[in-house]
Amino acid sequence: MTSTQVVAPVLARSTQPARRLPVPHKRAIAFFVLPFGALFALFYALPVGYAVWQSLLVVEREGTFGPARQVFGGLAQYEQVFQNGPFWTSVGRVLLFGAVQVPVMLLLALVFALLLDSPLLRGKRFFRLAFFVPYAVPGVVAAIMWGFLYSPNLSPFTAVTSNVDLLSADLVLWAMANVVTWVYVGYNMLIIYSSLLAIPTEVYEAARLDGAGQLRIAWSVKIPLVLPAIVLTTVFSIIGTLQLLAEPQVFRSFSSAVTSTFTPNLTVYSTSSVPNFNLAAAFSVVLALATFVLSFAFLKLTQKKGVQ
C-alpha cells in the first residue's frame, strides 16, 4: 500500500464537517442560568429598554392648562441634549477629572500592591486591611466626612483650610478627586494584588538566578504580568468617573461652586427632579453610549499595544 493510499482516507475524513457533540445536562444548565437571566432581564434589560423608550417621548398639553400627555417625539429629546451647553460642560469636567484622578489612583494602587507582594514588607495583614478599610466606608459617608474636613469653620486643620479654600470653584473638583482616590485605591489594589499572587514563584526564582533585585523584579516581571489587571481597573475607573454623583451631591451642601449641573449624572438627577423624565432619560442614554465608547476605545487601544 502506498503512502498516497494511506493519506487519502485521512484527508477525506478531515474535510468532512465536524459533528457537534450533544450538550449534556441541558435542563440543569437552564435551571442554574434561569435565575440570573430573570434578574438580569427584570432589573437591567427592562429598565434600560424603558429608559430608551422614555427618551423618545415628549409631553404635550391641550391649551395652557390642559392635561399633559406623552406622545412619540422621535429624536426631539436628543436634540435638546446636544444643544444643552451645561451638560457638555459637565462632561468635559469629569473627563478632566478622570484624566488626572484615575492615573494617580491606579499608580497608588499599583505601588501598594507591589509593597504587599514584596518579601521585604512586614505586617502585611495590617497594611492590607488598612489600605482596604476606606472602601468599606460608603461613598456618601466618605464625602460628608471629607466635606467637614475641608470646611474652614468645622475642620480640625484650620491652619490649612483657613489659608487654602478647598471648596472654592477652582479646587472643589480636586477635593472630590481626593475623596474618590481615598475610597477606591484599596479596591483597585486588591485586584492588582490578586493578580500578583497568581504569578508562579518559578518566575521570581528565575529572575533572582539572573541576578535581579526586588526593584528590577517589580519593574521587569511583576508590572508586565499584571498589565491585564491594570487594564481592568482602568476600565472600571472610566465607567465610575462618568457616573460621579454621590460626591458632588454631598458637596453641594458645603460649597456653592457645585451646581445642579456640575457632573453629567447630577444633571440627570436634577432634570428628573423638575420633573422632566423624558429629557433625563435622553441624558442617561447619551451618557451610557459615551461611557461605552470610551471604555471600548481604551480596550482596543490596549489590545493594539499587546496588553491581553
Side-chain angles (χ1 to χ4, degrees), residues 78-100:
Y78 291 96
E79 292 179 3
Q80 295 188 46
V81 170
F82 287 101
Q83 295 173 1
N84 192 294
F87 173 74
W88 294 106
T89 301
S90 67
V91 172
R93 185 178 291 114
V94 295
L95 290 178
L96 175 63
F97 174 95
V100 176

Side-chain angles (χ1 to χ4, degrees), residues 81-82 84-99 173-174 238 241-244 259-268 282-291 293-294:
V81 170
F82 287 101
N84 192 294
F87 173 74
W88 294 106
T89 301
S90 67
V91 172
R93 185 178 291 114
V94 295
L95 290 178
L96 175 63
F97 174 95
L173 182 66
W174 310 116
I238 292 173
T241 296
L242 291 173
Q243 293 180 347
L244 193 65
T259 63
S260 61
T261 59
F262 194 78
T263 64
N265 256 2
L266 196 55
T267 303
V268 174
F283 280 133
S284 300
V285 172
V286 171
L287 183 60
L289 290 176
T291 304
V293 169
L294 285 176

Side-chain angles (χ1 to χ4, degrees), residues 67-281:
R69 60 190 182 92
Q70 290 185 335
V71 297
F72 182 78
L75 300 178
Q77 300 292 354
Y78 291 96
E79 292 179 3
Q80 295 188 46
V81 170
F82 287 101
Q83 295 173 1
N84 192 294
F87 173 74
W88 294 106
T89 301
S90 67
V91 172
R93 185 178 291 114
V94 295
L95 290 178
L96 175 63
F97 174 95
V100 176
Q101 186 269 335
V102 171
V104 172
M105 177 180 63
L106 295 184
L107 178 61
L108 290 174
L110 176 61
V111 170
F112 291 160
L114 291 173
L115 288 174
L116 289 178
D117 194 60
S118 173
L120 304 178
L121 181 68
R122 296 184 178 181
K124 292 184 180 181
R125 292 184 178 180
F126 168 78
F127 286 108
R128 184 167 61 241
L129 179 62
F131 293 152
F132 184 74
V133 160
Y135 181 69
V137 179
V140 174
V141 176
I144 294 174
M145 179 185 70
W146 280 98
F148 280 112
L149 292 176
Y150 291 147
S151 299
N153 298 328
L154 302 173
S155 175
F157 309 106
T158 54
V160 176
T161 57
S162 59
N163 296 317
V164 181
D165 188 2
L166 297 171
L167 299 176
S168 63
D170 296 330
L171 297 178
V172 68
L173 182 66
W174 310 116
M176 295 180 194
N178 178 63
V179 178
V180 176
T181 302
W182 181 79
V183 172
Y184 287 99
V185 160
Y187 170 78
N188 294 296
M189 177 210 68
L190 279 186
I191 295 178
I192 299 173
Y193 181 59
S194 300
S195 183
L196 286 171
L197 293 178
I199 299 175
T201 56
E202 292 82 0
V203 177
Y204 300 144
E205 293 175 359
R208 283 192 290 268
L209 288 175
D210 289 339
Q214 291 300 321
L215 289 177
R216 185 65 177 177
I217 292 175
W219 179 259
S220 300
V221 177
K222 293 182 179 181
I223 293 179
L225 291 178
V226 299
L227 279 180
I230 297 175
V231 171
L232 177 66
T233 54
T234 304
V235 172
F236 288 165
S237 300
I238 292 173
I239 297 173
T241 296
L242 291 173
Q243 293 180 347
L244 193 65
L245 175 63
E247 290 79 11
Q249 179 69 13
V250 171
F251 271 62
R252 288 189 66 186
S253 60
F254 293 100
S255 173
S256 59
V258 182
T259 63
S260 61
T261 59
F262 194 78
T263 64
N265 256 2
L266 196 55
T267 303
V268 174
Y269 177 80
S270 303
T271 305
S272 63
S273 301
V274 172
N276 190 343
F277 300 114
N278 306 116
L279 183 57

Side-chain angles (χ1 to χ4, degrees), residues 19-39:
R19 295 178 58 186
R20 296 186 61 183
L21 297 176
V23 179
H25 311 297
K26 289 185 178 180
R27 294 183 178 180
I29 294 174
F31 175 78
F32 286 108
V33 172
L34 183 60
F36 167 78
L39 293 174

